[in-house]
Coordinates of all heavy atoms in Angstrom, one line a residue:
G216 N -31.5 -22.8 30.1 CA -31.2 -23.1 31.5 C -30.1 -22.3 32.1 O -29.2 -21.8 31.4
H217 N -30.2 -22.1 33.4 CA -29.2 -21.4 34.2 C -28.9 -20.0 33.7 O -29.8 -19.3 33.2 CB -27.9 -22.3 34.2 CG -28.2 -23.7 34.6 ND1 -28.4 -24.1 35.9 CD2 -28.5 -24.8 33.8 CE1 -28.7 -25.4 35.9 NE2 -28.8 -25.8 34.6
D221 N -25.4 -18.5 38.1 CA -25.7 -20.0 38.1 C -25.1 -20.5 36.8 O -25.8 -20.4 35.7 CB -27.2 -20.2 38.2 CG -27.6 -21.6 37.9 OD1 -26.8 -22.5 38.0 OD2 -28.8 -21.8 37.6
V222 N -24.0 -21.2 36.9 CA -23.3 -21.6 35.6 C -23.8 -23.0 35.2 O -23.6 -23.4 34.0 CB -21.8 -21.7 35.8 CG1 -21.2 -20.3 36.1 CG2 -21.3 -22.7 36.8
G223 N -24.5 -23.7 36.0 CA -25.0 -25.0 35.6 C -23.9 -26.0 35.7 O -22.9 -25.8 36.5
A224 N -23.9 -27.1 34.9 CA -22.9 -28.1 35.0 C -21.6 -27.6 34.4 O -21.6 -26.7 33.5 CB -23.3 -29.3 34.2
E232 N -22.3 -25.1 31.3 CA -23.6 -25.5 30.7 C -24.4 -24.3 30.3 O -25.0 -24.3 29.2 CB -24.4 -26.3 31.8 CG -25.8 -26.6 31.3 CD -26.7 -27.2 32.4 OE1 -26.2 -27.5 33.5 OE2 -27.9 -27.4 32.2
K233 N -24.3 -23.2 31.1 CA -25.1 -22.0 30.7 C -24.8 -21.5 29.4 O -25.7 -20.9 28.7 CB -24.9 -20.9 31.8 CG -23.5 -20.4 31.9 CD -23.5 -19.2 32.8 CE -22.1 -18.5 32.8 NZ -22.0 -17.3 33.6
V236 N -26.2 -24.1 26.5 CA -27.7 -24.1 26.4 C -28.2 -22.7 25.8 O -29.3 -22.7 25.1 CB -28.4 -24.5 27.7 CG1 -28.0 -25.9 28.1 CG2 -28.1 -23.5 28.8
I284 N -34.0 -26.0 28.1 CA -32.8 -26.7 27.5 C -31.6 -26.7 28.5 O -31.3 -25.7 29.1 CB -32.4 -26.0 26.2 CG1 -33.5 -26.0 25.2 CG2 -31.1 -26.6 25.6 CD1 -33.3 -25.2 24.0
H285 N -31.1 -27.9 28.7 CA -30.0 -28.1 29.7 C -28.9 -29.0 29.1 O -29.1 -29.7 28.0 CB -30.5 -28.8 30.9 CG -31.4 -27.8 31.7 ND1 -30.9 -27.1 32.8 CD2 -32.7 -27.4 31.5 CE1 -31.9 -26.3 33.2 NE2 -33.0 -26.5 32.5
A286 N -27.8 -29.1 29.7 CA -26.7 -30.1 29.4 C -26.4 -30.8 30.7 O -26.4 -30.2 31.8 CB -25.5 -29.4 28.8
N287 N -26.0 -32.0 30.5 CA -25.8 -32.9 31.6 C -24.3 -33.0 32.0 O -23.4 -32.6 31.2 CB -26.3 -34.3 31.3 CG -27.1 -34.9 32.4 OD1 -26.8 -34.7 33.6 ND2 -28.1 -35.7 32.1
V316 N -30.7 -36.5 37.9 CA -30.7 -35.4 37.0 C -31.5 -34.3 37.7 O -31.1 -33.1 37.6 CB -31.3 -35.8 35.6 CG1 -31.3 -34.5 34.7 CG2 -30.5 -36.9 35.0
K319 N -29.7 -32.3 40.3 CA -28.8 -31.3 39.7 C -29.5 -30.1 39.2 O -29.1 -29.0 39.5 CB -28.0 -32.1 38.6 CG -26.7 -31.4 38.3 CD -25.9 -32.4 37.5 CE -25.0 -33.3 38.3 NZ -24.6 -34.5 37.6
E320 N -30.6 -30.3 38.4 CA -31.3 -29.2 37.8 C -32.1 -28.4 38.8 O -32.4 -27.2 38.5 CB -32.1 -29.7 36.6 CG -31.4 -30.4 35.5 CD -30.4 -29.5 34.8 OE1 -30.2 -28.4 35.2 OE2 -29.7 -30.0 33.9
L392 N -38.0 -31.0 29.5 CA -36.7 -30.5 29.8 C -35.7 -31.4 29.0 O -35.8 -32.6 29.0 CB -36.4 -30.7 31.3 CG -35.0 -30.2 31.8 CD1 -35.2 -29.5 33.2 CD2 -34.0 -31.3 31.9
I393 N -34.9 -30.7 28.1 CA -34.1 -31.5 27.2 C -32.6 -31.4 27.7 O -32.1 -30.3 28.0 CB -34.1 -30.8 25.8 CG1 -35.6 -30.7 25.3 CG2 -33.3 -31.6 24.8 CD1 -35.8 -29.8 24.1
E394 N -32.0 -32.6 27.8 CA -30.6 -32.6 28.2 C -29.8 -32.9 26.9 O -29.9 -34.0 26.3 CB -30.3 -33.7 29.2 CG -30.9 -33.5 30.6 CD -30.2 -32.5 31.4 OE1 -29.1 -32.0 31.0 OE2 -30.6 -32.2 32.5
Ligands
LIG1 ZN1 -29.1 -27.6 33.7

Side-chain angles (χ1 to χ4, degrees):
H217 311 276
D221 171 19
V222 299
E232 175 187 356
K233 65 171 185 176
V236 298
I284 300 175
H285 291 261
N287 224 328
V316 181
K319 204 165 267 159
E320 299 300 1
L392 185 141
I393 307 165
E394 294 282 357

